[in-house]
Amino acid sequence: MFETLKASYQPSKTERAFDCNLESSQDKALIYAGTYLPRSYAECYCIFDDLFHTAEIAKAFQNQTTLNILSIGSGTCGDALGILSAIDKNLPNIRQVFLTGIEGNKPARDIAKKLIHQAKQHYRFEIDFRAEDYTIDSFKDYIDTTCVLHAEGTTDILLSSKMISEMVSMGKEQPSQAYSNFLASFLPLLSPTTGICLLLDVATKVTKDGPWFPILMNSQTSKTLESMPEFGIIAPAPCRELHGPCRTSCCYSQKKFEVKHSRTSCDCSKVNYRIISRATGIALPSKQPTPCMISPPNCPQNRAPCSSQLESTCEKDAFPINP
């Protein structure tokens, strides 16, 4: 990536330097690829490596020889590449992956095409990649199923990585509805037997004095899934085990990833995510609720709760399925 594409590692001192990637030039897209793509790759690889190590989930995929992956706001496809690596490691029966990326920025699509083309030689399965030139103006006005699916059939893996916060920052979605609108629009595309959705976003504030994105994701995901009982949360563990609506409006969760690559010895990524599936397709054994997520009762909306990191609230990280 750095040698062939001339991507550049340039961490910004501004936390939200890439809020409007739709407007990125070629030069800015290369900076994004060199700086943030390794983080996205590592995040998704670690998450799906853990997923596919889970017996119940591996069993759901054991009869599959092809997979359909749909990435909404796919960007330079670092997240999708991470998933492809996890598939290559854990699902030996897969022979072909149909990957569709929906992305409105041409420089990002061009970089993604080059990276996927280079990556094909490293995977044992075929990759059929289609980068769709489409700008989503609102999640309620989403693309018809026949447009987004690369092959006939439903989506096995649905991916949204750090895209919803961008929609909010650009004014295309309201903070109070963005995650709910995404889930209501796209979850129905999931396969009833293997469908998994990764909803991942930044762990920052909407604005300097506004709410935190993790708080918005947590509350909206819980509320939306109340009216969609065929879907269930796989991770983090407390959300899966306690079920039902959140008991607080200010639950904040965060996961840290430390990334090492040729341009830095330690790159820290802080994100929040939910893994959702059709409950009939993938059912994990019930466990006793674990006290890994603390929700302070009087948490003000304009600041992070004192339990801002799951790792600091108990001895167990609540995100991994196989801790």
Side-chain angles (χ1 to χ4, degrees):
M1 179 174 66
F2 294 106
E3 288 75 17
T4 305
L5 298 182
K6 306 301 180 184
S8 177
Y9 178 70
Q10 297 184 33
S12 173
K13 295 181 180 179
T14 303
E15 191 174 45
R16 303 294 300 280
F18 286 88
D19 275 349
C20 300
N21 282 324
L22 276 174
E23 302 169 1
S24 292
S25 63
Q26 177 71 18
D27 289 342
K28 192 173 181 180
L30 286 170
I31 293 174
Y32 183 90
T35 307
Y36 298 102
L37 185 149
R39 298 184 191 181
S40 295
Y41 174 89
E43 292 156 6
C44 286
Y45 172 77
C46 290
I47 291 169
F48 277 85
D49 184 46
D50 178 56
L51 269 173
F52 295 142
H53 265 101
T54 306
E56 292 80 7
I57 294 175
K59 183 178 179 181
F61 286 91
Q62 68 182 1
N63 295 323
Q64 295 279 113
T65 57
T66 63
L67 287 177
N68 285 320
I69 300 176
L70 173 60
S71 179
I72 308 297
S74 53
T76 54
C77 276
D79 40 20
L81 285 166
I83 295 176
L84 291 172
S85 293
I87 292 170
D88 189 58
K89 176 183 176 182
N90 296 285
L91 301 180
N93 51 309
I94 299 301
R95 295 289 176 265
Q96 187 168 27
V97 173
F98 295 93
L99 171 62
T100 300
I102 308 299
E103 175 57 51
N105 180 259
K106 184 180 185 301
R109 291 197 310 274
D110 291 343
I111 292 172
K113 290 176 183 177
K114 293 176 182 177
L115 288 174
I116 296 295
H117 178 73
Q118 290 179 0
K120 287 181 178 181
Q121 60 184 309
H122 299 290
Y123 298 123
R124 51 176 174 69
F125 47 77
E126 294 183 15
I127 302 173
D128 193 348
F129 176 52
R130 184 173 68 186
E132 291 288 351
D133 176 8
Y134 189 93
T135 300
I136 298 176
D137 291 320
S138 77
F139 292 132
K140 289 185 177 180
D141 184 29
Y142 71 97
I143 310 167
D144 185 79
T145 304
T146 57
C147 296
V148 298
L149 291 181
H150 198 168
E152 292 185 4
T154 49
T155 299
D156 298 298
I157 297 173
L158 172 65
L159 175 62
S160 172
S161 177
K162 305 169 189 173
M163 183 260 194
I164 296 179
S165 57
E166 287 189 31
M167 293 285 285
V168 172
S169 297
M170 290 186 292
K172 293 176 178 290
E173 287 284 339
Q174 294 300 310
S176 61
Q177 299 176 332
Y179 295 100
S180 294
N181 289 343
F182 177 89
L183 293 172
S185 295
F186 288 102
L187 281 185
L189 299 179
L190 288 179
S191 163
T193 55
T194 57
I196 291 177
C197 170
L198 173 61
L199 184 66
L200 182 148
D201 219 331
V202 295
T204 60
K205 287 184 177 182
V206 175
T207 59
K208 182 179 179 181
D209 298 318
W212 292 80
F213 281 112
I215 293 177
L216 297 178
M217 179 191 291
N218 296 346
S219 61
Q220 291 177 41
T221 299
S222 174
K223 183 177 180 180
T224 302
L225 294 185
E226 282 187 75
S227 60
M228 304 178 76
E230 68 272 33
F231 299 96
I233 292 177
I234 293 179
C239 299
R240 178 181 76 244
E241 296 166 6
L242 295 175
H243 304 293
C246 292
R247 297 188 178 94
T248 177
S249 61
C250 57
C251 178
Y252 177 100
S253 53
Q254 175 179 282
K255 173 70 175 176
K256 281 186 179 180
F257 292 90
E258 292 186 354
V259 184
K260 180 180 180 180
H261 57 83
S262 62
R263 295 301 188 270
T264 180
S265 59
C266 185
D267 214 353
C268 183
S269 178
K270 301 176 183 179
V271 298
N272 182 47
Y273 66 85
R274 291 291 177 275
I275 303 174
I276 303 167
S277 76
R278 282 192 186 272
T280 56
I282 299 172
L284 298 176
S286 298
K287 297 180 180 179
Q288 290 297 317
T290 53
C292 291
M293 187 178 293
I294 298 174
S295 302
N298 298 314
C299 164
Q301 289 289 341
N302 62 349
R303 55 188 286 240
C306 59
S307 59
S308 61
Q309 293 177 218
L310 292 178
E311 294 91 338
S312 68
T313 64
C314 63
E315 296 180 356
K316 177 183 175 184
D317 182 351
F319 278 98
I321 300 172
N322 290 301

